[in-house]
Amino acid sequence: MMELVCPAGTPAALRAAVEAGAHAVYCGFADETNARNFPGLNFSRDEMAAGIAHAHARGAKVLVAINTFPRAGEAGLWHRAVADAAAAGADAVILADVGLLAHAAGAHPGLRLHLSVQAAAANADAINFYAETFGVRRVVLPRVLTVAEIAAINRETDCETEVFVFGGLCVMAEGRCSLSSYATGLSPNMNGVCSPASHVDYAERDGAQEARLGGFLIHRTPRGMSVPYPTLCKGCFTAPGGAQKAQTGHIFEDPVSLDATDLIPALEKAGVRALKIEGRQRSRAYVAQVVQAFRAAVEAAGSGAPMPHGILARLTEGQAATTGAYAKTWR
Amino acid sequence: MTRAFLLHLPPPPFAPALLGKGLSALLQGIARRHPSILVRLGAYGGADFLLDVTDVPVLLLMSPAAGRMRVFRRSAVPAHGAGIRGSLAAFLSMLHGVEDGDALFFSGALTISGDTAAVLALRNALDDAEIDLTEELAAHGGAWVHGLSDWLARQSGLVLSRRGT
């Protein structure tokens, strides 16, 4: 059976994930070392140790995401995070930066290393480099690959592969996107915040809800319509049309979430070892419902039964789902 | 008794200050029993949160760090740093971990205004605390609260407790 890797932004969400059937839970410390550095979220050192003990007592693993890129002169914060995760008994750390990978491989040789999606390793040569150089055991593949491309990668590497199957869909080259940095001055890749809440403003105007990021209007949602996250990549913009009429729409991607439930058997056949659910910023209610549904789906795939359907749509951004790049024709 | 009867009570004839005092005591009790809430809130604990529960006749202004809840008539909206607006059912479902806050936001059942970071911190802090409103009320009022809560939940369909969720 493929491993189900589930998100937890808080100790309560971790317990909910384990109870709902997660094989592994991923989470991070409450600082800039992880890519979900949102207010009120994440784990203190004591909470992490307690969470790992809770998960281990119930047969689940904990993977600690330290997946932002250390800033020059401040690598100590990231090094301490790796050391503290190892001391707390983490089953693996999820890293993106080559310098941090080198540090972890040298200073903590017994610690299992996973390569974060933030590293954007999208071909077998890149993955094999990480595996051979740092001993990386698993790579989280970026969300830009088709199922056929994932199968091709798995034929050329012994490194385990993990893919996203549900949740918020990052459509850019992960770890390299600067859209949010441009609008806010804070980096998703170094400060751990895409569309930081401190720079988001919602206001009701003329019967519609307006969302601004860093002062830029990115959504105007009429009352009664589904409201998206305030991310630039899924913003609604007007593009000059030159000689033609200007066009207004979702220039990069529609505000939809990933749901690859139907593709689970194909992903298993493609050699994928683990399935990942996005959403460390979500509540324990989301975690419990999504994990329960995907545990059932993974078990169904393992026994050749049809995939269960349709219960998670209202939890998704835009309340609509896509299979993303796995089976997509890009426009 | 119908839910409409429960939720469309007339504006309270009693002094808002008295209701505020009771709600403040409840808030202080929750903060005592769940100290992680103020830790997770950090500096945002000093913010004033306007809770606009659309189907009750008053507005609530919550100041977590000060342990203070004040009550205002709808015609007198107080100054606030952050605002959350939604039905009583939405607030209670989110508090008790039945509904996801983001999903309520996507559907428009909850709207936010003002300091978005403060709202996010509050949502995350409360979600982690796994509060049970009935248990919190029982800590003040006694065990009889459980029976009343069960009865009210059956009559109204509101999620008043974590039991059975």
PDB file of all heavy atoms in Angstrom, chain B residues 132-154 160-163:
ATOM      1  N   ASP B 132     -14.430  23.029  24.018  1.00  0.00           N
ATOM      2  CA  ASP B 132     -15.801  22.519  24.075  1.00  0.00           C
ATOM      3  C   ASP B 132     -16.608  23.546  24.865  1.00  0.00           C
ATOM      4  O   ASP B 132     -16.436  23.686  26.076  1.00  0.00           O
ATOM      5  CB  ASP B 132     -15.817  21.156  24.775  1.00  0.00           C
ATOM      6  CG  ASP B 132     -17.199  20.523  24.768  1.00  0.00           C
ATOM      7  OD1 ASP B 132     -18.176  21.258  25.018  1.00  0.00           O
ATOM      8  OD2 ASP B 132     -17.304  19.316  24.513  1.00  0.00           O
ATOM      9  N   LEU B 133     -17.465  24.278  24.164  1.00  0.00           N
ATOM     10  CA  LEU B 133     -18.176  25.392  24.797  1.00  0.00           C
ATOM     11  C   LEU B 133     -19.045  24.924  25.963  1.00  0.00           C
ATOM     12  O   LEU B 133     -19.137  25.599  26.999  1.00  0.00           O
ATOM     13  CB  LEU B 133     -19.028  26.122  23.750  1.00  0.00           C
ATOM     14  CG  LEU B 133     -19.580  27.475  24.168  1.00  0.00           C
ATOM     15  CD1 LEU B 133     -18.476  28.430  24.599  1.00  0.00           C
ATOM     16  CD2 LEU B 133     -20.381  28.088  23.025  1.00  0.00           C
ATOM     17  N   THR B 134     -19.657  23.760  25.796  1.00  0.00           N
ATOM     18  CA  THR B 134     -20.495  23.242  26.883  1.00  0.00           C
ATOM     19  C   THR B 134     -19.652  22.960  28.124  1.00  0.00           C
ATOM     20  O   THR B 134     -20.053  23.310  29.253  1.00  0.00           O
ATOM     21  CB  THR B 134     -21.221  21.959  26.426  1.00  0.00           C
ATOM     22  OG1 THR B 134     -22.110  22.303  25.363  1.00  0.00           O
ATOM     23  CG2 THR B 134     -22.002  21.335  27.570  1.00  0.00           C
ATOM     24  N   GLU B 135     -18.486  22.369  27.926  1.00  0.00           N
ATOM     25  CA  GLU B 135     -17.608  22.097  29.073  1.00  0.00           C
ATOM     26  C   GLU B 135     -17.146  23.392  29.723  1.00  0.00           C
ATOM     27  O   GLU B 135     -17.043  23.474  30.959  1.00  0.00           O
ATOM     28  CB  GLU B 135     -16.390  21.272  28.624  1.00  0.00           C
ATOM     29  CG  GLU B 135     -16.713  19.876  28.118  1.00  0.00           C
ATOM     30  CD  GLU B 135     -17.411  19.009  29.161  1.00  0.00           C
ATOM     31  OE1 GLU B 135     -17.190  19.226  30.365  1.00  0.00           O
ATOM     32  OE2 GLU B 135     -18.211  18.141  28.760  1.00  0.00           O
ATOM     33  N   GLU B 136     -16.878  24.396  28.909  1.00  0.00           N
ATOM     34  CA  GLU B 136     -16.436  25.680  29.463  1.00  0.00           C
ATOM     35  C   GLU B 136     -17.553  26.320  30.281  1.00  0.00           C
ATOM     36  O   GLU B 136     -17.311  26.860  31.363  1.00  0.00           O
ATOM     37  CB  GLU B 136     -15.998  26.629  28.333  1.00  0.00           C
ATOM     38  CG  GLU B 136     -14.817  26.124  27.514  1.00  0.00           C
ATOM     39  CD  GLU B 136     -13.553  25.917  28.347  1.00  0.00           C
ATOM     40  OE1 GLU B 136     -13.410  26.572  29.404  1.00  0.00           O
ATOM     41  OE2 GLU B 136     -12.710  25.081  27.950  1.00  0.00           O
ATOM     42  N   LEU B 137     -18.766  26.245  29.776  1.00  0.00           N
ATOM     43  CA  LEU B 137     -19.904  26.807  30.518  1.00  0.00           C
ATOM     44  C   LEU B 137     -20.164  26.001  31.782  1.00  0.00           C
ATOM     45  O   LEU B 137     -20.482  26.561  32.839  1.00  0.00           O
ATOM     46  CB  LEU B 137     -21.146  26.833  29.623  1.00  0.00           C
ATOM     47  CG  LEU B 137     -21.122  27.896  28.514  1.00  0.00           C
ATOM     48  CD1 LEU B 137     -22.211  27.612  27.479  1.00  0.00           C
ATOM     49  CD2 LEU B 137     -21.309  29.290  29.101  1.00  0.00           C
ATOM     50  N   ALA B 138     -20.002  24.684  31.679  1.00  0.00           N
ATOM     51  CA  ALA B 138     -20.228  23.831  32.848  1.00  0.00           C
ATOM     52  C   ALA B 138     -19.201  24.110  33.947  1.00  0.00           C
ATOM     53  O   ALA B 138     -19.509  23.996  35.136  1.00  0.00           O
ATOM     54  CB  ALA B 138     -20.175  22.362  32.436  1.00  0.00           C
ATOM     55  N   ALA B 139     -17.995  24.504  33.518  1.00  0.00           N
ATOM     56  CA  ALA B 139     -16.964  24.827  34.509  1.00  0.00           C
ATOM     57  C   ALA B 139     -17.384  26.024  35.350  1.00  0.00           C
ATOM     58  O   ALA B 139     -16.959  26.167  36.498  1.00  0.00           O
ATOM     59  CB  ALA B 139     -15.642  25.109  33.802  1.00  0.00           C
ATOM     60  N   HIS B 140     -18.231  26.864  34.783  1.00  0.00           N
ATOM     61  CA  HIS B 140     -18.723  28.029  35.543  1.00  0.00           C
ATOM     62  C   HIS B 140     -20.053  27.727  36.217  1.00  0.00           C
ATOM     63  O   HIS B 140     -20.269  28.066  37.381  1.00  0.00           O
ATOM     64  CB  HIS B 140     -18.933  29.225  34.598  1.00  0.00           C
ATOM     65  CG  HIS B 140     -17.659  29.870  34.183  1.00  0.00           C
ATOM     66  ND1 HIS B 140     -17.105  30.947  34.823  1.00  0.00           N
ATOM     67  CD2 HIS B 140     -16.790  29.553  33.185  1.00  0.00           C
ATOM     68  CE1 HIS B 140     -15.965  31.285  34.239  1.00  0.00           C
ATOM     69  NE2 HIS B 140     -15.760  30.451  33.238  1.00  0.00           N
ATOM     70  N   GLY B 141     -20.947  27.077  35.454  1.00  0.00           N
ATOM     71  CA  GLY B 141     -22.333  26.968  35.922  1.00  0.00           C
ATOM     72  C   GLY B 141     -22.685  25.654  36.590  1.00  0.00           C
ATOM     73  O   GLY B 141     -23.726  25.544  37.241  1.00  0.00           O
ATOM     74  N   GLY B 142     -21.866  24.621  36.404  1.00  0.00           N
ATOM     75  CA  GLY B 142     -22.188  23.338  37.011  1.00  0.00           C
ATOM     76  C   GLY B 142     -22.639  22.313  35.994  1.00  0.00           C
ATOM     77  O   GLY B 142     -22.841  22.619  34.804  1.00  0.00           O
ATOM     78  N   ALA B 143     -22.817  21.087  36.492  1.00  0.00           N
ATOM     79  CA  ALA B 143     -23.071  19.951  35.592  1.00  0.00           C
ATOM     80  C   ALA B 143     -24.410  20.057  34.870  1.00  0.00           C
ATOM     81  O   ALA B 143     -24.599  19.453  33.806  1.00  0.00           O
ATOM     82  CB  ALA B 143     -23.005  18.656  36.388  1.00  0.00           C
ATOM     83  N   TRP B 144     -25.371  20.817  35.441  1.00  0.00           N
ATOM     84  CA  TRP B 144     -26.688  20.922  34.810  1.00  0.00           C
ATOM     85  C   TRP B 144     -26.588  21.504  33.395  1.00  0.00           C
ATOM     86  O   TRP B 144     -27.472  21.312  32.560  1.00  0.00           O
ATOM     87  CB  TRP B 144     -27.630  21.784  35.663  1.00  0.00           C
ATOM     88  CG  TRP B 144     -27.150  23.214  35.798  1.00  0.00           C
ATOM     89  CD1 TRP B 144     -26.307  23.717  36.725  1.00  0.00           C
ATOM     90  CD2 TRP B 144     -27.489  24.307  34.927  1.00  0.00           C
ATOM     91  NE1 TRP B 144     -26.076  25.043  36.513  1.00  0.00           N
ATOM     92  CE2 TRP B 144     -26.795  25.437  35.412  1.00  0.00           C
ATOM     93  CE3 TRP B 144     -28.296  24.438  33.804  1.00  0.00           C
ATOM     94  CZ2 TRP B 144     -26.896  26.679  34.808  1.00  0.00           C
ATOM     95  CZ3 TRP B 144     -28.394  25.682  33.203  1.00  0.00           C
ATOM     96  CH2 TRP B 144     -27.692  26.793  33.703  1.00  0.00           C
ATOM     97  N   VAL B 145     -25.483  22.210  33.119  1.00  0.00           N
ATOM     98  CA  VAL B 145     -25.292  22.825  31.796  1.00  0.00           C
ATOM     99  C   VAL B 145     -25.302  21.755  30.703  1.00  0.00           C
ATOM    100  O   VAL B 145     -25.802  21.989  29.602  1.00  0.00           O
ATOM    101  CB  VAL B 145     -23.968  23.625  31.767  1.00  0.00           C
ATOM    102  CG1 VAL B 145     -23.626  24.048  30.352  1.00  0.00           C
ATOM    103  CG2 VAL B 145     -24.068  24.844  32.676  1.00  0.00           C
ATOM    104  N   HIS B 146     -24.769  20.560  31.016  1.00  0.00           N
ATOM    105  CA  HIS B 146     -24.725  19.503  29.999  1.00  0.00           C
ATOM    106  C   HIS B 146     -26.112  19.151  29.486  1.00  0.00           C
ATOM    107  O   HIS B 146     -26.333  19.033  28.280  1.00  0.00           O
ATOM    108  CB  HIS B 146     -24.049  18.245  30.566  1.00  0.00           C
ATOM    109  CG  HIS B 146     -22.594  18.427  30.836  1.00  0.00           C
ATOM    110  ND1 HIS B 146     -22.066  18.439  32.099  1.00  0.00           N
ATOM    111  CD2 HIS B 146     -21.555  18.635  29.994  1.00  0.00           C
ATOM    112  CE1 HIS B 146     -20.757  18.632  32.034  1.00  0.00           C
ATOM    113  NE2 HIS B 146     -20.427  18.757  30.763  1.00  0.00           N
ATOM    114  N   GLY B 147     -27.032  18.978  30.419  1.00  0.00           N
ATOM    115  CA  GLY B 147     -28.392  18.622  30.028  1.00  0.00           C
ATOM    116  C   GLY B 147     -29.034  19.710  29.190  1.00  0.00           C
ATOM    117  O   GLY B 147     -29.667  19.435  28.160  1.00  0.00           O
ATOM    118  N   LEU B 148     -28.868  20.957  29.630  1.00  0.00           N
ATOM    119  CA  LEU B 148     -29.446  22.083  28.887  1.00  0.00           C
ATOM    120  C   LEU B 148     -28.816  22.173  27.497  1.00  0.00           C
ATOM    121  O   LEU B 148     -29.521  22.396  26.497  1.00  0.00           O
ATOM    122  CB  LEU B 148     -29.214  23.385  29.662  1.00  0.00           C
ATOM    123  CG  LEU B 148     -29.702  24.657  28.968  1.00  0.00           C
ATOM    124  CD1 LEU B 148     -31.223  24.613  28.780  1.00  0.00           C
ATOM    125  CD2 LEU B 148     -29.305  25.902  29.768  1.00  0.00           C
ATOM    126  N   SER B 149     -27.502  21.974  27.436  1.00  0.00           N
ATOM    127  CA  SER B 149     -26.803  22.054  26.156  1.00  0.00           C
ATOM    128  C   SER B 149     -27.298  20.978  25.190  1.00  0.00           C
ATOM    129  O   SER B 149     -27.555  21.247  24.010  1.00  0.00           O
ATOM    130  CB  SER B 149     -25.297  21.903  26.382  1.00  0.00           C
ATOM    131  OG  SER B 149     -24.632  21.776  25.152  1.00  0.00           O
ATOM    132  N   ASP B 150     -27.436  19.752  25.699  1.00  0.00           N
ATOM    133  CA  ASP B 150     -27.921  18.663  24.847  1.00  0.00           C
ATOM    134  C   ASP B 150     -29.308  18.989  24.298  1.00  0.00           C
ATOM    135  O   ASP B 150     -29.608  18.767  23.129  1.00  0.00           O
ATOM    136  CB  ASP B 150     -27.966  17.348  25.637  1.00  0.00           C
ATOM    137  CG  ASP B 150     -26.562  16.826  25.928  1.00  0.00           C
ATOM    138  OD1 ASP B 150     -25.605  17.316  25.302  1.00  0.00           O
ATOM    139  OD2 ASP B 150     -26.436  15.935  26.793  1.00  0.00           O
ATOM    140  N   TRP B 151     -30.152  19.520  25.183  1.00  0.00           N
ATOM    141  CA  TRP B 151     -31.533  19.840  24.784  1.00  0.00           C
ATOM    142  C   TRP B 151     -31.527  20.959  23.732  1.00  0.00           C
ATOM    143  O   TRP B 151     -32.203  20.871  22.703  1.00  0.00           O
ATOM    144  CB  TRP B 151     -32.337  20.260  26.027  1.00  0.00           C
ATOM    145  CG  TRP B 151     -33.757  20.600  25.718  1.00  0.00           C
ATOM    146  CD1 TRP B 151     -34.785  19.733  25.492  1.00  0.00           C
ATOM    147  CD2 TRP B 151     -34.304  21.923  25.563  1.00  0.00           C
ATOM    148  NE1 TRP B 151     -35.941  20.417  25.226  1.00  0.00           N
ATOM    149  CE2 TRP B 151     -35.670  21.767  25.262  1.00  0.00           C
ATOM    150  CE3 TRP B 151     -33.776  23.200  25.676  1.00  0.00           C
ATOM    151  CZ2 TRP B 151     -36.508  22.858  25.069  1.00  0.00           C
ATOM    152  CZ3 TRP B 151     -34.614  24.285  25.472  1.00  0.00           C
ATOM    153  CH2 TRP B 151     -35.959  24.105  25.175  1.00  0.00           C
ATOM    154  N   LEU B 152     -30.734  21.996  23.996  1.00  0.00           N
ATOM    155  CA  LEU B 152     -30.665  23.111  23.042  1.00  0.00           C
ATOM    156  C   LEU B 152     -30.104  22.652  21.696  1.00  0.00           C
ATOM    157  O   LEU B 152     -30.580  23.071  20.642  1.00  0.00           O
ATOM    158  CB  LEU B 152     -29.768  24.226  23.594  1.00  0.00           C
ATOM    159  CG  LEU B 152     -30.408  25.197  24.578  1.00  0.00           C
ATOM    160  CD1 LEU B 152     -29.351  26.129  25.161  1.00  0.00           C
ATOM    161  CD2 LEU B 152     -31.507  26.007  23.905  1.00  0.00           C
ATOM    162  N   ALA B 153     -29.098  21.776  21.740  1.00  0.00           N
ATOM    163  CA  ALA B 153     -28.500  21.280  20.497  1.00  0.00           C
ATOM    164  C   ALA B 153     -29.532  20.497  19.694  1.00  0.00           C
ATOM    165  O   ALA B 153     -29.624  20.635  18.464  1.00  0.00           O
ATOM    166  CB  ALA B 153     -27.290  20.414  20.818  1.00  0.00           C
ATOM    167  N   ARG B 154     -30.320  19.675  20.394  1.00  0.00           N
ATOM    168  CA  ARG B 154     -31.353  18.893  19.690  1.00  0.00           C
ATOM    169  C   ARG B 154     -32.397  19.813  19.074  1.00  0.00           C
ATOM    170  O   ARG B 154     -32.838  19.609  17.944  1.00  0.00           O
ATOM    171  CB  ARG B 154     -32.022  17.916  20.661  1.00  0.00           C
ATOM    172  CG  ARG B 154     -31.248  16.634  20.914  1.00  0.00           C
ATOM    173  CD  ARG B 154     -32.152  15.565  21.538  1.00  0.00           C
ATOM    174  NE  ARG B 154     -32.768  16.021  22.763  1.00  0.00           N
ATOM    175  CZ  ARG B 154     -32.214  15.951  23.980  1.00  0.00           C
ATOM    176  NH1 ARG B 154     -31.002  15.439  24.107  1.00  0.00           N
ATOM    177  NH2 ARG B 154     -32.844  16.384  25.045  1.00  0.00           N
ATOM    178  N   LEU B 160     -23.010  22.513  19.880  1.00  0.00           N
ATOM    179  CA  LEU B 160     -22.712  23.200  21.137  1.00  0.00           C
ATOM    180  C   LEU B 160     -21.627  22.501  21.946  1.00  0.00           C
ATOM    181  O   LEU B 160     -21.272  22.951  23.031  1.00  0.00           O
ATOM    182  CB  LEU B 160     -23.987  23.315  21.983  1.00  0.00           C
ATOM    183  CG  LEU B 160     -25.111  24.150  21.342  1.00  0.00           C
ATOM    184  CD1 LEU B 160     -26.379  24.075  22.195  1.00  0.00           C
ATOM    185  CD2 LEU B 160     -24.680  25.590  21.181  1.00  0.00           C
ATOM    186  N   SER B 161     -21.134  21.381  21.423  1.00  0.00           N
ATOM    187  CA  SER B 161     -20.169  20.595  22.186  1.00  0.00           C
ATOM    188  C   SER B 161     -19.307  19.789  21.221  1.00  0.00           C
ATOM    189  O   SER B 161     -19.686  19.585  20.059  1.00  0.00           O
ATOM    190  CB  SER B 161     -20.939  19.645  23.117  1.00  0.00           C
ATOM    191  OG  SER B 161     -20.076  18.675  23.644  1.00  0.00           O
ATOM    192  N   ARG B 162     -18.163  19.317  21.691  1.00  0.00           N
ATOM    193  CA  ARG B 162     -17.337  18.421  20.885  1.00  0.00           C
ATOM    194  C   ARG B 162     -17.801  16.983  21.012  1.00  0.00           C
ATOM    195  O   ARG B 162     -17.350  16.118  20.266  1.00  0.00           O
ATOM    196  CB  ARG B 162     -15.870  18.498  21.324  1.00  0.00           C
ATOM    197  CG  ARG B 162     -15.183  19.792  20.935  1.00  0.00           C
ATOM    198  CD  ARG B 162     -13.728  19.759  21.346  1.00  0.00           C
ATOM    199  NE  ARG B 162     -13.032  18.662  20.691  1.00  0.00           N
ATOM    200  CZ  ARG B 162     -12.038  17.986  21.233  1.00  0.00           C
ATOM    201  NH1 ARG B 162     -11.638  18.246  22.450  1.00  0.00           N
ATOM    202  NH2 ARG B 162     -11.443  17.012  20.574  1.00  0.00           N
ATOM    203  N   ARG B 163     -18.666  16.714  21.985  1.00  0.00           N
ATOM    204  CA  ARG B 163     -19.124  15.337  22.167  1.00  0.00           C
ATOM    205  C   ARG B 163     -19.883  14.876  20.919  1.00  0.00           C
ATOM    206  O   ARG B 163     -20.763  15.569  20.428  1.00  0.00           O
ATOM    207  CB  ARG B 163     -20.042  15.240  23.388  1.00  0.00           C
ATOM    208  CG  ARG B 163     -19.291  15.282  24.704  1.00  0.00           C
ATOM    209  CD  ARG B 163     -20.242  15.360  25.858  1.00  0.00           C
ATOM    210  NE  ARG B 163     -20.971  16.612  25.836  1.00  0.00           N
ATOM    211  CZ  ARG B 163     -22.128  16.818  26.449  1.00  0.00           C
ATOM    212  NH1 ARG B 163     -22.701  15.858  27.113  1.00  0.00           N
ATOM    213  NH2 ARG B 163     -22.718  17.990  26.408  1.00  0.00           N
TER     214      ARG B 163
END
